[in-house]
Amino acid sequence: NLQFAVEQLTPLVRRPGLQDAVGEALEALREAKEGAERIRVIVRDLQTFARADELRLGPVDVHVALEFGISMAMTHLRSRAQVERHFGQVPPALAHEARLGQVFLHLLINAAHAIPSGAFDRHRVTLTTRREGAWVLAEVSDTGLGMTPEVLQRAFEPFFTTRPVGEGSGLGLSICLGLVRSMHGELTATSIPGLGSTFQVRLPVSEPVVYPGLPAGRADEGPCRKRVLVVDDEPQLTSVLRRILGRQHDVVVAHSGREALALLEQDDAFDRDALPPVLRGPRPSAGGFDRVFCDLMMADLTGMDVHAELSRRRPELLSRFVFMTGGSFTERARAFLQAVPLPRIEKPFEPGLLHSLVESSPPRTF
C-alpha cells in the first residue's frame, strides 16, 4: 500500500500549486515505507533462523546471505571497522539459505573480534564474491591481528580458542565448517600475523531451475491485459493485490479455498461438447484465469487442499498457480513446499514481482 501511494502521488509533485503539500506527504510516505522495509528485513532474518534445521538445498543468492550476516553482526562491527563490499557477478549457489546466513554471521563476528576497538578508520572488513568454474566463492577478510601458523592449523578444531576463559567456546569455526560441508562446499582460511585473516567459503553453482508455468520471459510480446484470481482469507491482502494489479489486469478475488474451487469450476462450466466442432477449439486450460495467486494457509480449505483437489479433478490448472506464504509453520506445509515444484512467494512481496509473475503466465488458448 505504501508503494502504491508513493507511485500515485509522485506525478502530482510536478503540478503547479501542489508541490509543497504533496511533496511533504510524499516524503512522509517514503520514510514510512523505509521503516516498513526495515521491519520486513528483520522478520525475514528471523524466519531464516527458524528454518535452520531444515536441510533442503536450493539456489541461494550469496549476496543476500552476506547482507543478512552484515545486518545481524553490525553491532559488533560498527565500532571496529568499516565494511567494504566487492561483489562480482555470480550465479546462485547450491546451498541452504539459513545455514549459509549463519556461517557468514559467525565469520563476520569473528572478524570483528579479531580487530581491536577504537581504530575504526584504520580497519576494514572486506566481503568479496566471484565465480571460479563450477564454484561460487565468498570471502570475508579483516585487517585484524591475524593468526600464527600454529593457531591457523588448529582454527577449525572443536573447542580450540585463543580467547580468554569464558569468552568463547571454540566451537564457532568448527560448526561453520560442518555447515558448509553439509552444503557440499568447503571452508578454508589464510592469515598473516599482524595483517589479518581471510576466510573463504566455496559452494557449488546451482543449475537454473525453471518452474512449470514460469517461463524466462517473452520479450517479443508487449504487456496485455490478463485475468488474475487472488485466493486469500485476509481481506487487506486481497485488497492490496487488487489495487496493485487491477490497473493493468482484471482481478477476481476469492476469500476461501472453497470459493476458489467454485470459481474455477464455474468459469469453465460451459458445455463445449454441445458446440459445433468448428467452434469448439481446445478446452481452456486454466479455467479462464492467466494466473492464480493462492495463499498456502487459510482457515477453510488451505492452499494445500486446493492443490490436492485440483490435482484430482483439474491438474491442468495447476501450471498457473503461485502460492503465497508468510512462513511454513506446520509439518504438512513444510513437506508440501518441498514436494510441489510450483512457484511460491513470501509475504510481504514487492509489487514488481507480482506484475512479472502475471506477465510471465503460460499462454492459453480460448
Side-chain angles (χ1 to χ4, degrees):
N1 277 326
L2 288 168
Q3 178 64 29
F4 178 84
V6 168
E7 291 175 357
Q8 293 291 298
L9 286 176
T10 298
L12 299 181
V13 176
R14 295 188 290 270
R15 294 188 182 181
L18 293 179
Q19 185 172 3
D20 292 341
V22 176
E24 188 174 356
L26 189 58
E27 184 62 27
L29 282 172
R30 285 174 176 154
E31 290 178 4
K33 182 175 179 293
E34 181 181 345
E37 173 65 16
R38 292 173 64 184
I39 295 171
R40 185 186 71 84
V41 170
I42 291 171
V43 172
R44 183 201 66 195
D45 291 347
L46 291 173
Q47 288 176 324
T48 296
F49 269 116
R51 291 194 294 264
D53 59 342
E54 304 170 20
L55 183 56
R56 177 172 175 257
L57 302 183
V60 174
D61 187 334
V62 295
H63 296 156
V64 171
L66 280 165
E67 293 294 346
F68 162 80
I70 294 170
S71 67
M72 299 292 282
M74 188 51 70
T75 53
H76 300 270
L77 293 166
R78 186 175 290 116
S79 63
R80 296 173 183 263
Q82 300 180 51
V83 177
E84 294 185 354
R85 298 166 176 82
H86 295 163
F87 291 169
Q89 295 291 329
V90 296
L94 182 64
H96 183 280
E97 183 181 23
R99 293 191 175 191
L100 187 57
Q102 287 186 342
V103 169
F104 289 143
L105 170 58
H106 180 83
L107 293 180
L108 285 163
I109 293 176
N110 200 59
H113 288 167
I115 296 171
S117 59
F120 170 84
D121 293 336
R122 294 195 296 106
H123 287 286
R124 302 284 185 275
V125 171
T126 305
L127 310 176
T128 306
T129 60
R130 64 181 182 276
R131 177 175 183 168
E132 285 188 2
W135 300 92
V136 176
L137 274 60
E139 294 178 345
V140 178
S141 301
D142 65 71
T143 57
L145 301 175
M147 294 178 280
T148 65
E150 295 76 20
V151 171
L152 179 61
Q153 188 175 7
R154 302 186 60 190
F156 294 104
E157 287 184 15
F159 303 108
F160 175 76
T161 180
T162 58
R163 296 181 193 172
V165 176
E167 292 188 16
S169 65
L171 286 173
L173 287 176
S174 64
I175 290 174
C176 286
L177 179 62
L179 291 175
V180 174
R181 285 179 173 173
S182 74
M183 296 180 278
H184 311 300
E186 193 57 57
L187 174 62
T188 58
T190 58
S191 186
I192 300 176
L195 296 180
S197 304
T198 295
F199 288 85
Q200 183 185 88
V201 177
R202 178 184 291 262
L203 295 165
V205 169
S206 173
E207 295 299 324
V209 177
V210 178
Y211 290 110
L214 189 58
R218 304 191 299 276
D220 57 325
E221 299 181 17
C224 61
R225 196 165 187 86
K226 298 192 177 185
R227 198 155 182 258
V228 179
L229 176 62
V230 176
V231 188
D232 200 298
D233 58 358
E234 186 178 339
Q236 287 185 330
L237 190 135
T238 58
S239 174
V240 74
L241 261 69
R242 188 200 294 272
R243 185 174 296 126
I244 290 170
L245 295 173
R247 291 178 290 171
Q248 298 180 19
H249 307 288
D250 299 319
V251 179
V252 178
V253 169
H255 293 289
S256 70
R258 200 176 304 277
E259 185 182 349
L261 287 173
L263 276 172
L264 289 166
E265 190 69 24
Q266 171 188 336
D267 208 46
D268 193 28
F270 63 89
D271 186 4
R272 68 188 292 276
D273 294 326
L275 295 174
V278 71
L279 296 179
R280 284 180 197 166
R283 176 180 289 277
S285 61
F289 291 103
D290 294 281
R291 183 61 82 191
V292 181
F293 292 97
C294 183
D295 190 28
L296 189 67
M297 306 296 291
M298 292 181 286
D300 182 16
L301 290 182
T302 68
M304 296 172 285
D305 296 326
V306 171
H307 180 273
E309 187 64 20
L310 290 177
S311 296
R312 185 177 65 85
R313 293 163 50 187
R314 298 291 304 282
E316 69 274 14
L317 300 184
L318 294 175
S319 66
R320 302 179 184 275
F321 268 66
V322 173
F323 285 99
M324 305 181 293
T325 174
S328 52
F329 301 115
T330 67
E331 287 297 328
R332 183 190 178 195
R334 285 192 283 268
F336 177 84
L337 290 177
Q338 290 182 16
V340 175
L342 289 173
R344 74 287 306 267
I345 53 178
E346 292 197 0
K347 305 173 185 175
F349 26 74
E350 293 288 339
L353 176 60
L354 299 174
H355 284 293
S356 66
L357 285 166
V358 174
E359 290 163 8
S360 65
S361 61
R364 60 187 174 100
T365 55
F366 288 88

